[in-house]
Amino acid sequence: MLRSLVGSEMCIRDSPEPMDPTSIFTSKFINHFTRNPSMLQEASSSWVLVLEYPVLRDNSPVEHLAATIHEHPAKTFSCIGVAAYQVLKRRVQPDERLGRRVAVRLLHYEPSTPIRSIKSHAIGKFISIKGTAVRVTTVRPMVVQMDFVCSKCGERFAERFKDGKYQVPYSCLLYTSDAADEEDSVDLGGRRIIKKKNRIK
């Protein structure tokens, strides 16, 4: 749903059908950012939207924003990011590069949760904790997708990684063939791509 909203204002503003809660939420933030363009000043160059929670809470365009962030953080920030993307897209010049998405960062979220109070009920919720970091590791990139080239047949194929966990493919998934009568095959640009089948001897 959220992916279909990116880059498509028709889904939000001009649809004659009743909008679902997600679209209504996003639409209200589009209007909010349009009326307050200064909120997106830094995001226009970095495509990272930094929001101060006390300011956002006191000037929220939607009701029960605090509960929505706490209960459904991923969906809430995705909707806000889509809204910011829609407004920023209108300002982009033809020769400027358009970012793929807007990442939302929330600062000074409250109330703060004591570490000893973090239990299973906090799974999937948005909370704030305070403490001192006693050990840190180097920043590692999160790999979402990577292209691989088979050393045998030379075919290139994309592999997606769940939760950013990198894993080398065990075997080649594709190979080219002129055999057009294979059932388990896909035609891509005139080439016949046939899925390899492992044979047990």
Side-chain angles (χ1 to χ4, degrees):
M1 177 61 190
L2 294 176
R3 183 176 298 179
S4 65
L5 294 179
V6 176
S8 178
E9 298 179 10
M10 296 293 293
C11 294
I12 299 175
R13 305 181 61 185
D14 302 326
S15 175
E17 300 179 358
M19 294 188 295
D20 61 277
T22 299
S23 298
I24 295 175
F25 184 96
T26 307
S27 180
K28 289 184 178 181
F29 266 95
I30 289 178
N31 296 332
H32 182 65
F33 290 141
T34 302
R35 292 193 301 268
N36 302 275
S38 60
M39 298 182 66
L40 303 179
Q41 185 173 357
E42 295 183 3
S44 60
S45 58
S46 63
W47 293 91
V48 176
L49 177 60
V50 180
L51 299 173
E52 297 276 350
Y53 176 73
V55 177
L56 180 64
R57 177 195 58 199
D58 296 340
N59 301 277
S60 173
V62 298
E63 297 180 354
H64 313 297
L65 179 63
T68 304
I69 291 177
H70 176 70
E71 295 293 333
H72 310 285
K75 189 172 184 178
T76 301
F77 294 144
S78 294
C79 289
I80 295 175
V82 168
Y85 184 96
Q86 294 289 338
V87 178
L88 289 174
K89 187 183 65 173
R90 303 170 187 169
R91 307 179 186 177
V92 174
Q93 300 298 324
D95 57 340
E96 292 182 349
R97 182 181 178 184
L98 184 65
R100 296 184 61 184
R101 60 187 295 270
V102 176
V104 180
R105 301 288 183 266
L106 194 64
L107 301 181
H108 308 304
Y109 179 75
E110 52 189 22
S112 178
T113 302
I115 295 180
R116 64 177 178 273
S117 300
I118 300 178
K119 301 185 183 301
S120 59
H121 68 276
I123 296 177
K125 303 297 190 294
F126 192 81
I127 61 174
S128 173
I129 61 175
K130 293 182 179 180
T132 303
V134 295
R135 179 185 296 179
V136 296
T137 60
T138 57
V139 178
R140 295 180 296 177
M142 185 176 68
V143 182
V144 178
Q145 179 174 320
M146 182 177 291
D147 290 342
F148 293 89
V149 177
C150 179
S151 59
K152 294 183 178 180
C153 66
E155 276 300 317
R156 180 186 298 271
F157 58 92
E159 190 78 9
R160 294 187 64 85
F161 304 106
K162 186 177 180 181
D163 299 327
K165 297 179 180 179
Y166 174 79
Q167 184 177 8
V168 178
Y170 292 108
S171 61
C172 178
L173 301 179
L174 305 174
Y175 71 92
T176 57
S177 173
D178 294 329
D181 57 349
E182 291 286 343
E183 295 182 358
D184 194 10
S185 61
V186 180
D187 189 5
L188 299 178
R191 292 190 309 167
R192 204 69 179 176
I193 306 300
I194 304 172
K195 296 182 180 179
K196 269 190 174 179
K197 300 178 181 178
N198 295 329
R199 296 181 179 178
I200 302 176
K201 297 182 179 180

